[in-house]
Coordinates of all heavy atoms in Angstrom, one line a residue:
M196 N -32.1 70.6 -57.5 CA -33.2 70.7 -56.5 C -34.5 70.6 -57.1 O -35.4 70.0 -56.6 CB -32.9 72.1 -55.9 CG -34.0 72.5 -54.8 SD -33.7 71.6 -53.4 CE -34.9 72.4 -52.4
I197 N -34.6 71.3 -58.3 CA -35.9 71.3 -59.0 C -36.3 69.9 -59.4 O -37.5 69.5 -59.3 CB -35.9 72.2 -60.3 CG1 -35.8 73.6 -59.8 CG2 -37.1 72.0 -61.2 CD1 -35.6 74.6 -60.9
Y198 N -35.3 69.0 -59.9 CA -35.6 67.7 -60.3 C -36.0 66.8 -59.1 O -36.9 65.9 -59.2 CB -34.4 67.1 -61.0 CG -34.1 67.8 -62.4 CD1 -33.0 68.6 -62.5 CD2 -35.0 67.7 -63.4 CE1 -32.8 69.2 -63.7 CE2 -34.8 68.3 -64.6 CZ -33.7 69.1 -64.8 OH -33.5 69.8 -65.9
E199 N -35.4 67.0 -58.0 CA -35.7 66.4 -56.8 C -37.1 66.6 -56.3 O -37.9 65.7 -56.1 CB -34.8 66.6 -55.6 CG -33.4 66.1 -55.8 CD -32.4 66.7 -54.7 OE1 -32.9 67.4 -53.9 OE2 -31.2 66.3 -54.8
D200 N -37.6 67.9 -56.4 CA -38.9 68.3 -56.1 C -39.9 67.7 -57.0 O -41.0 67.1 -56.6 CB -39.1 69.7 -56.1 CG -38.3 70.4 -54.9 OD1 -38.0 69.7 -53.9 OD2 -38.1 71.6 -54.9
R201 N -39.5 67.6 -58.3 CA -40.3 67.1 -59.4 C -40.6 65.6 -59.2 O -41.7 65.1 -59.2 CB -39.8 67.4 -60.8 CG -40.7 66.8 -61.9 CD -40.0 66.7 -63.1 NE -39.0 65.6 -63.0 CZ -38.0 65.3 -63.8 NH1 -37.9 66.1 -64.9 NH2 -37.2 64.3 -63.5
D202 N -39.5 64.9 -58.9 CA -39.6 63.5 -58.6 C -40.4 63.2 -57.4 O -41.2 62.2 -57.4 CB -38.2 62.8 -58.5 CG -37.5 62.8 -59.8 OD1 -38.1 63.0 -60.9 OD2 -36.2 62.7 -59.8
R203 N -40.2 63.9 -56.3 CA -41.0 63.8 -55.1 C -42.5 64.0 -55.3 O -43.3 63.2 -54.9 CB -40.5 64.8 -54.1 CG -40.9 64.4 -52.6 CD -40.2 65.3 -51.6 NE -38.8 65.2 -51.8 CZ -38.1 66.3 -51.7 NH1 -38.6 67.6 -51.6 NH2 -36.8 66.3 -51.8
L204 N -42.8 65.1 -56.1 CA -44.2 65.3 -56.5 C -44.8 64.2 -57.3 O -46.0 63.8 -57.1 CB -44.3 66.7 -57.2 CG -45.7 67.1 -57.7 CD1 -46.7 67.2 -56.4 CD2 -45.6 68.4 -58.4
K205 N -44.0 63.8 -58.2 CA -44.5 62.7 -59.1 C -44.8 61.4 -58.3 O -45.7 60.8 -58.5 CB -43.4 62.4 -60.1 CG -43.8 61.5 -61.3 CD -42.6 61.4 -62.2 CE -42.9 60.5 -63.4 NZ -41.7 60.4 -64.3
R206 N -43.9 61.1 -57.4 CA -44.1 59.9 -56.5 C -45.4 60.0 -55.6 O -46.2 59.1 -55.5 CB -42.9 59.5 -55.6 CG -41.8 58.9 -56.4 CD -40.7 58.3 -55.4 NE -40.2 59.3 -54.6 CZ -39.2 60.2 -54.8 NH1 -38.5 60.1 -56.0 NH2 -38.7 61.0 -53.9
A207 N -45.6 61.2 -55.1 CA -46.8 61.5 -54.3 C -48.0 61.4 -55.1 O -49.0 60.9 -54.6 CB -46.6 62.9 -53.6
L208 N -48.1 61.9 -56.3 CA -49.2 61.9 -57.1 C -49.6 60.4 -57.5 O -50.7 60.0 -57.6 CB -49.0 62.7 -58.4 CG -49.1 64.3 -58.2 CD1 -48.7 64.9 -59.5 CD2 -50.5 64.6 -57.7
Q209 N -48.5 59.6 -57.8 CA -48.7 58.2 -58.2 C -49.3 57.5 -56.9 O -50.2 56.7 -57.1 CB -47.4 57.6 -58.6 CG -47.6 56.2 -59.0 CD -46.3 55.6 -59.6 OE1 -45.2 56.2 -59.4 NE2 -46.3 54.4 -60.1
A210 N -48.8 57.7 -55.8 CA -49.3 57.0 -54.6 C -50.7 57.4 -54.3 O -51.6 56.6 -54.0 CB -48.4 57.4 -53.3
S211 N -51.0 58.7 -54.5 CA -52.4 59.2 -54.3 C -53.4 58.5 -55.3 O -54.5 58.1 -55.0 CB -52.4 60.7 -54.5 OG -53.8 61.1 -54.4
A212 N -52.9 58.4 -56.6 CA -53.8 57.8 -57.6 C -54.0 56.3 -57.3 O -55.1 55.9 -57.5 CB -53.1 58.0 -59.0
E213 N -53.0 55.7 -56.8 CA -53.1 54.2 -56.5 C -54.0 54.0 -55.3 O -54.9 53.2 -55.3 CB -51.7 53.6 -56.2 CG -50.9 53.5 -57.4 CD -49.4 53.0 -57.1 OE1 -49.1 52.9 -55.9 OE2 -48.6 52.9 -58.0
G214 N -54.0 54.9 -54.3 CA -54.9 54.9 -53.2 C -56.3 55.2 -53.5 O -57.2 54.5 -53.1
T215 N -56.5 56.1 -54.5 CA -57.9 56.4 -54.9 C -58.5 55.3 -55.7 O -59.6 54.9 -55.5 CB -57.8 57.7 -55.8 OG1 -57.4 58.8 -55.0 CG2 -59.2 58.0 -56.4
S216 N -57.6 54.6 -56.5 CA -58.1 53.5 -57.4 C -58.4 52.3 -56.5 O -59.5 51.6 -56.6 CB -57.0 53.1 -58.3 OG -57.4 51.9 -59.0
R217 N -57.7 52.1 -55.4 CA -58.0 51.0 -54.5 C -59.2 51.3 -53.8 O -60.1 50.4 -53.5 CB -56.7 50.8 -53.6 CG -56.9 49.7 -52.6 CD -55.7 49.4 -51.8 NE -55.8 48.5 -50.8 CZ -55.7 47.2 -51.1 NH1 -55.5 46.7 -52.3 NH2 -55.8 46.3 -50.1
Q218 N -59.5 52.5 -53.3 CA -60.7 52.8 -52.6 C -61.9 52.7 -53.4 O -62.9 52.3 -53.0 CB -60.6 54.3 -52.0 CG -61.8 54.7 -51.2 CD -61.8 53.8 -49.9 OE1 -60.9 53.5 -49.2 NE2 -63.0 53.3 -49.6
L219 N -61.8 53.0 -54.7 CA -62.9 52.9 -55.7 C -63.3 51.4 -55.8 O -64.4 51.0 -55.9 CB -62.6 53.5 -57.0 CG -62.6 55.0 -57.1 CD1 -62.1 55.5 -58.4 CD2 -63.9 55.6 -56.8
E220 N -62.2 50.6 -55.8 CA -62.4 49.1 -55.9 C -63.2 48.6 -54.8 O -64.1 47.8 -54.8 CB -61.2 48.3 -56.1 CG -60.5 48.5 -57.5 CD -59.2 47.6 -57.7 OE1 -59.4 46.4 -57.7 OE2 -58.2 48.3 -57.7
L221 N -62.7 49.1 -53.6 CA -63.4 48.7 -52.3 C -64.9 49.1 -52.3 O -65.7 48.3 -51.9 CB -62.6 49.2 -51.1 CG -61.3 48.6 -50.7 CD1 -60.5 49.5 -49.8 CD2 -61.6 47.2 -50.1
D222 N -65.1 50.3 -52.7 CA -66.4 50.9 -52.7 C -67.3 50.1 -53.7 O -68.5 49.7 -53.3 CB -66.4 52.3 -53.1 CG -65.8 53.3 -52.0 OD1 -65.6 52.8 -50.9 OD2 -65.5 54.4 -52.4
E223 N -66.8 49.7 -54.8 CA -67.5 48.9 -55.8 C -67.9 47.6 -55.3 O -69.0 47.1 -55.4 CB -66.8 48.9 -57.1 CG -67.5 48.1 -58.2 CD -66.6 47.9 -59.4 OE1 -65.4 47.9 -59.3 OE2 -67.3 47.7 -60.5
A224 N -67.0 46.9 -54.6 CA -67.2 45.6 -54.1 C -68.3 45.6 -53.0 O -69.1 44.7 -52.9 CB -65.9 45.0 -53.6
A225 N -68.1 46.6 -52.1 CA -69.1 46.8 -51.1 C -70.6 47.1 -51.6 O -71.5 46.5 -51.1 CB -68.7 47.8 -50.1
R226 N -70.7 48.0 -52.6 CA -72.0 48.3 -53.2 C -72.5 47.1 -53.9 O -73.7 46.8 -53.7 CB -71.7 49.4 -54.2 CG -73.0 49.8 -54.9 CD -72.8 50.9 -55.9 NE -71.7 50.7 -56.8 CZ -71.8 49.9 -57.9 NH1 -72.9 49.2 -58.1 NH2 -70.8 49.7 -58.7
E227 N -71.7 46.4 -54.7 CA -72.2 45.1 -55.4 C -72.7 44.1 -54.4 O -73.7 43.4 -54.6 CB -71.2 44.7 -56.3 CG -71.0 45.6 -57.5 CD -69.9 45.2 -58.5 OE1 -69.1 44.3 -58.2 OE2 -69.8 45.8 -59.6
C228 N -71.9 43.9 -53.3 CA -72.3 43.0 -52.2 C -73.7 43.4 -51.7 O -74.7 42.6 -51.5 CB -71.3 42.9 -51.2 SG -71.7 41.8 -49.8
A229 N -73.8 44.7 -51.3 CA -75.1 45.1 -50.8 C -76.3 45.0 -51.8 O -77.4 44.5 -51.4 CB -75.0 46.6 -50.4
E230 N -76.1 45.3 -53.1 CA -77.1 45.1 -54.0 C -77.5 43.6 -54.1 O -78.7 43.4 -54.3 CB -76.6 45.7 -55.4 CG -76.5 47.2 -55.5 CD -75.9 47.7 -56.7 OE1 -75.6 46.9 -57.6 OE2 -75.9 48.9 -56.9
A231 N -76.6 42.8 -54.1 CA -76.8 41.4 -54.3 C -77.6 40.9 -53.1 O -78.6 40.1 -53.2 CB -75.5 40.5 -54.4
L232 N -77.3 41.4 -51.9 CA -78.0 41.0 -50.7 C -79.4 41.5 -50.8 O -80.4 40.8 -50.4 CB -77.4 41.6 -49.4 CG -76.2 40.8 -49.0 CD1 -75.4 41.6 -47.8 CD2 -76.4 39.4 -48.5
M233 N -79.6 42.6 -51.3 CA -81.0 43.2 -51.3 C -81.9 42.5 -52.3 O -83.1 42.5 -52.2 CB -81.0 44.7 -51.7 CG -80.4 45.6 -50.6 SD -80.6 47.3 -50.9 CE -79.5 47.6 -52.2
T234 N -81.3 41.9 -53.3 CA -82.1 41.2 -54.3 C -82.2 39.7 -54.0 O -82.8 38.9 -54.6 CB -81.5 41.3 -55.7 OG1 -80.1 40.7 -55.7 CG2 -81.4 42.7 -56.2
G235 N -81.5 39.3 -52.8 CA -81.6 37.9 -52.4 C -80.6 37.0 -53.1 O -80.7 35.8 -52.9
A236 N -79.6 37.5 -53.8 CA -78.7 36.7 -54.4 C -77.5 36.5 -53.5 O -76.4 37.0 -53.6 CB -78.2 37.4 -55.7
I237 N -77.7 35.5 -52.5 CA -76.7 35.3 -51.5 C -75.3 34.8 -52.0 O -74.3 35.2 -51.6 CB -77.3 34.3 -50.5 CG1 -78.6 34.7 -49.9 CG2 -76.3 34.0 -49.4 CD1 -78.5 36.1 -49.2
D238 N -75.4 33.9 -53.0 CA -74.1 33.4 -53.7 C -73.3 34.5 -54.2 O -72.1 34.6 -54.0 CB -74.4 32.3 -54.6 CG -75.0 31.0 -54.0 OD1 -74.8 30.8 -52.8 OD2 -75.5 30.2 -54.8
L239 N -74.0 35.4 -54.9 CA -73.3 36.5 -55.5 C -72.8 37.5 -54.5 O -71.7 38.0 -54.6 CB -74.3 37.2 -56.5 CG -73.7 38.4 -57.3 CD1 -72.5 38.0 -58.2 CD2 -74.7 39.0 -58.2
A240 N -73.6 37.7 -53.4 CA -73.2 38.5 -52.3 C -71.9 38.0 -51.7 O -71.0 38.8 -51.3 CB -74.2 38.7 -51.3
Q241 N -71.8 36.7 -51.5 CA -70.6 36.0 -51.0 C -69.4 36.2 -51.9 O -68.3 36.5 -51.4 CB -70.8 34.6 -50.7 CG -71.7 34.4 -49.6 CD -72.1 32.8 -49.4 OE1 -72.0 32.1 -50.3 NE2 -72.4 32.5 -48.2
V242 N -69.6 36.2 -53.2 CA -68.4 36.5 -54.1 C -67.9 37.9 -53.9 O -66.8 38.1 -53.8 CB -68.9 36.3 -55.6 CG1 -67.9 36.8 -56.6 CG2 -69.2 34.8 -55.9
H243 N -68.9 38.9 -53.8 CA -68.4 40.3 -53.7 C -67.9 40.5 -52.3 O -67.0 41.3 -52.1 CB -69.6 41.2 -54.0 CG -70.0 41.3 -55.4 ND1 -69.2 41.6 -56.4 CD2 -71.2 41.0 -56.0 CE1 -69.8 41.6 -57.6 NE2 -71.0 41.2 -57.3
A244 N -68.4 39.8 -51.3 CA -67.8 40.0 -50.0 C -66.4 39.4 -49.9 O -65.5 40.0 -49.3 CB -68.7 39.2 -49.0
Q245 N -66.1 38.3 -50.6 CA -64.8 37.8 -50.8 C -63.8 38.7 -51.4 O -62.7 38.9 -51.0 CB -64.8 36.3 -51.4 CG -63.4 35.7 -51.5 CD -62.9 35.4 -50.1 OE1 -63.6 34.9 -49.3 NE2 -61.7 35.9 -49.8
R246 N -64.3 39.3 -52.5 CA -63.5 40.3 -53.3 C -63.2 41.5 -52.3 O -62.0 41.9 -52.3 CB -64.3 40.8 -54.5 CG -63.6 41.7 -55.3 CD -64.3 42.0 -56.6 NE -64.0 43.3 -57.1 CZ -64.9 44.3 -57.4 NH1 -66.1 44.0 -57.3 NH2 -64.5 45.4 -57.8
Y247 N -64.2 42.0 -51.6 CA -63.9 43.0 -50.7 C -62.9 42.6 -49.6 O -61.9 43.4 -49.4 CB -65.2 43.5 -50.0 CG -65.1 44.6 -49.0 CD1 -65.1 45.9 -49.5 CD2 -64.8 44.4 -47.7 CE1 -65.0 47.0 -48.6 CE2 -64.7 45.5 -46.8 CZ -64.8 46.7 -47.3 OH -64.6 47.8 -46.4
S248 N -63.0 41.4 -49.1 CA -62.1 40.9 -48.1 C -60.6 40.8 -48.6 O -59.6 41.2 -48.0 CB -62.5 39.6 -47.6 OG -63.8 39.7 -46.8
D249 N -60.6 40.3 -49.9 CA -59.2 40.2 -50.5 C -58.6 41.5 -50.7 O -57.4 41.7 -50.5 CB -59.4 39.5 -51.8 CG -59.8 38.0 -51.7 OD1 -59.7 37.4 -50.6 OD2 -60.2 37.4 -52.7
L250 N -59.4 42.5 -51.1 CA -58.8 43.9 -51.3 C -58.4 44.5 -50.0 O -57.4 45.2 -49.9 CB -59.9 44.7 -52.0 CG -60.2 44.5 -53.4 CD1 -61.4 45.2 -53.9 CD2 -59.0 44.9 -54.3
K251 N -59.2 44.2 -49.0 CA -58.9 44.8 -47.6 C -57.7 44.0 -46.9 O -57.1 44.5 -46.0 CB -60.1 44.7 -46.7 CG -61.1 45.7 -46.9 CD -60.7 47.1 -46.6 CE -61.0 47.5 -45.2 NZ -60.7 48.9 -44.9
G252 N -57.5 42.8 -47.4 CA -56.4 41.9 -46.9 C -56.8 41.3 -45.5 O -56.0 41.1 -44.7
M253 N -58.1 41.1 -45.4 CA -58.6 40.3 -44.2 C -59.6 39.2 -44.6 O -60.1 39.2 -45.6 CB -59.3 41.3 -43.2 CG -60.4 42.1 -44.0 SD -60.9 43.5 -42.9 CE -62.6 43.1 -42.8
P254 N -59.6 38.2 -43.7 CA -60.4 37.0 -44.1 C -61.9 37.3 -44.0 O -62.3 38.2 -43.2 CB -60.1 36.0 -43.0 CG -59.6 36.8 -41.9 CD -58.9 38.1 -42.4
A255 N -62.6 36.7 -45.0 CA -64.1 36.9 -45.0 C -64.7 36.1 -43.9 O -64.2 35.1 -43.5 CB -64.6 36.6 -46.4
A256 N -65.9 36.6 -43.5 CA -66.6 35.9 -42.5 C -67.2 34.5 -43.1 O -67.5 34.5 -44.3 CB -67.8 36.7 -42.0
A257 N -67.3 33.6 -42.2 CA -67.8 32.3 -42.7 C -69.3 32.4 -43.1 O -70.0 33.2 -42.4 CB -67.7 31.2 -41.7
P258 N -69.7 31.8 -44.2 CA -71.1 31.9 -44.5 C -72.0 31.3 -43.5 O -71.7 30.4 -42.7 CB -71.3 31.1 -45.8 CG -69.9 30.6 -46.2 CD -69.0 31.0 -45.1
A259 N -73.2 31.9 -43.3 CA -74.2 31.4 -42.3 C -74.6 30.0 -42.6 O -74.7 29.6 -43.7 CB -75.4 32.2 -42.3
G260 N -74.6 29.2 -41.6 CA -74.9 27.8 -41.7 C -73.7 26.9 -42.0 O -73.8 25.7 -42.2
A261 N -72.5 27.5 -42.1 CA -71.4 26.6 -42.4 C -70.7 26.2 -41.2 O -70.9 26.6 -40.1 CB -70.3 27.5 -43.1

């Protein structure tokens, strides 16, 4: 019983850590995209937007003028 509880807790902690790491990656990509947009670096912003979209698992919006 103790080992089952330990294994269950271990799996829950691992899943939580993976979720936190993924959220940090998403936040970083969004922040870097916003910073690039504020400085006028559109190409760099598109790179970070694509990274964010890839992490979210959804397609990025088409660039303006495309």
Side-chain angles (χ1 to χ4, degrees):
M196 178 75 169
I197 292 173
Y198 294 111
E199 291 172 0
D200 290 342
R201 182 198 67 191
D202 291 342
R203 197 173 307 134
L204 178 60
K205 191 175 177 181
R206 284 192 305 272
L208 287 172
Q209 184 177 7
S211 176
E213 289 171 2
T215 300
S216 175
R217 183 172 177 83
Q218 186 60 47
L219 287 173
E220 286 183 71
L221 284 165
D222 291 348
E223 179 184 26
R226 180 183 49 77
E227 289 175 349
C228 180
E230 288 175 359
L232 284 172
M233 287 190 296
T234 61
I237 303 302
D238 291 340
L239 184 58
Q241 288 176 335
V242 168
H243 291 302
Q245 183 61 52
R246 181 172 152 232
Y247 181 86
S248 294
D249 291 345
L250 288 169
K251 285 292 269 187
M253 51 193 237

